[in-house]
Amino acid sequence: RGMMLGAKPKLTAAQAVKLVKLRKTLTVAELSRRFNVSPATVNNYVQRAKMKPTPKLRAAAKKHREIFNR
């Protein structure tokens, strides 16, 4: 309770948005050097940005925010 499991995110939310926007013009290798992360991390952030939230995911996110933003 009160603990976040897993590794800390490599990028902040603002950096992630910027990375996804720059992906249209730069290669994965260039982005990985620019943000100092691995190419796999770049691909993971891009894939997450493409995901469409389902009602189940939205409900889980809402519950998560309620628990951790007290």
Side-chain angles (χ1 to χ4, degrees), residues 3-7:
M3 293 180 63
M4 296 285 287
L5 299 178

Side-chain angles (χ1 to χ4, degrees), residues 22-60:
L22 288 173
R23 178 60 187 104
K24 295 174 184 171
T25 58
L26 300 176
T27 65
V28 171
E30 291 169 332
L31 287 170
S32 65
R33 281 192 296 271
R34 183 177 285 196
F35 288 94
N36 198 26
V37 295
S38 72
T41 301
V42 172
N43 286 328
N44 287 335
Y45 275 100
V46 171
Q47 289 302 314
R48 283 188 212 134
K50 288 181 183 177
M51 287 178 53
K52 292 183 181 178
T54 63
K56 189 174 181 180
L57 281 174
R58 275 191 231 117

